[in-house]
Short mmCIF file of all heavy atoms in Angstrom, two decimals:
data_model
loop_
_atom_site.label_atom_id
_atom_site.label_comp_id
_atom_site.label_asym_id
_atom_site.label_seq_id
_atom_site.Cartn_x
_atom_site.Cartn_y
_atom_site.Cartn_z
N SER A 592 -11.50 10.65 -14.04
CA SER A 592 -12.06 11.41 -15.16
C SER A 592 -12.13 12.88 -14.76
O SER A 592 -13.21 13.45 -14.64
CB SER A 592 -13.47 10.91 -15.51
OG SER A 592 -13.46 9.52 -15.74
N PRO A 593 -10.98 13.51 -14.54
CA PRO A 593 -10.99 14.91 -14.12
C PRO A 593 -11.38 15.85 -15.27
O PRO A 593 -11.22 15.48 -16.44
CB PRO A 593 -9.53 15.16 -13.70
CG PRO A 593 -8.74 14.21 -14.52
CD PRO A 593 -9.60 12.97 -14.70
N VAL A 594 -11.84 17.04 -14.93
CA VAL A 594 -12.27 17.99 -15.97
C VAL A 594 -11.16 18.28 -16.99
O VAL A 594 -11.44 18.33 -18.20
CB VAL A 594 -12.83 19.29 -15.33
CG1 VAL A 594 -13.08 20.35 -16.40
CG2 VAL A 594 -14.13 18.99 -14.59
N PRO A 595 -9.88 18.45 -16.58
CA PRO A 595 -8.87 18.72 -17.61
C PRO A 595 -8.77 17.63 -18.69
O PRO A 595 -8.37 17.91 -19.82
CB PRO A 595 -7.57 18.84 -16.81
CG PRO A 595 -8.04 19.38 -15.49
CD PRO A 595 -9.33 18.65 -15.23
N LEU A 596 -9.17 16.40 -18.37
CA LEU A 596 -9.23 15.35 -19.41
C LEU A 596 -10.21 15.78 -20.50
O LEU A 596 -9.92 15.73 -21.69
CB LEU A 596 -9.66 14.03 -18.77
CG LEU A 596 -10.04 12.89 -19.73
CD1 LEU A 596 -8.83 12.37 -20.49
CD2 LEU A 596 -10.71 11.74 -18.96
N GLY A 597 -11.39 16.24 -20.05
CA GLY A 597 -12.40 16.71 -21.02
C GLY A 597 -12.02 18.03 -21.67
O GLY A 597 -12.41 18.31 -22.79
N ASP A 598 -11.25 18.85 -20.95
CA ASP A 598 -10.83 20.14 -21.52
C ASP A 598 -9.99 19.93 -22.77
O ASP A 598 -10.02 20.76 -23.68
CB ASP A 598 -9.98 20.92 -20.50
CG ASP A 598 -10.83 21.59 -19.43
OD1 ASP A 598 -12.06 21.63 -19.59
OD2 ASP A 598 -10.25 22.09 -18.45
N TYR A 599 -9.22 18.84 -22.78
CA TYR A 599 -8.28 18.67 -23.89
C TYR A 599 -8.51 17.42 -24.74
O TYR A 599 -8.45 17.52 -25.96
CB TYR A 599 -6.84 18.62 -23.34
CG TYR A 599 -6.41 19.93 -22.73
CD1 TYR A 599 -6.30 20.06 -21.34
CD2 TYR A 599 -6.14 21.03 -23.52
CE1 TYR A 599 -5.92 21.26 -20.77
CE2 TYR A 599 -5.77 22.25 -22.96
CZ TYR A 599 -5.66 22.36 -21.59
OH TYR A 599 -5.30 23.56 -21.04
N ALA A 600 -8.71 16.27 -24.15
CA ALA A 600 -8.51 15.08 -24.97
C ALA A 600 -9.35 13.86 -24.60
O ALA A 600 -8.98 12.74 -24.95
CB ALA A 600 -7.03 14.69 -24.94
N ALA A 601 -10.48 14.03 -23.91
CA ALA A 601 -11.32 12.84 -23.65
C ALA A 601 -11.99 12.40 -24.95
O ALA A 601 -12.30 11.23 -25.15
CB ALA A 601 -12.37 13.15 -22.60
N GLY A 602 -12.23 13.40 -25.82
CA GLY A 602 -13.02 13.15 -27.03
C GLY A 602 -14.34 13.91 -26.94
O GLY A 602 -14.98 14.19 -27.94
N SER A 603 -14.73 14.26 -25.72
CA SER A 603 -15.96 15.05 -25.50
C SER A 603 -15.68 16.51 -25.85
O SER A 603 -14.54 16.88 -26.10
CB SER A 603 -16.38 14.92 -24.04
OG SER A 603 -15.30 15.30 -23.20
N ASN A 604 -16.74 17.34 -25.81
CA ASN A 604 -16.55 18.76 -26.14
C ASN A 604 -16.41 19.59 -24.88
O ASN A 604 -17.08 19.32 -23.89
CB ASN A 604 -17.74 19.27 -26.97
CG ASN A 604 -17.33 20.45 -27.83
OD1 ASN A 604 -17.06 21.53 -27.31
ND2 ASN A 604 -17.22 20.24 -29.12
#
Side-chain angles (χ1 to χ4, degrees):
S592 306
V594 172
L596 169 68
D598 282 349
Y599 295 107
S603 55
N604 205 290

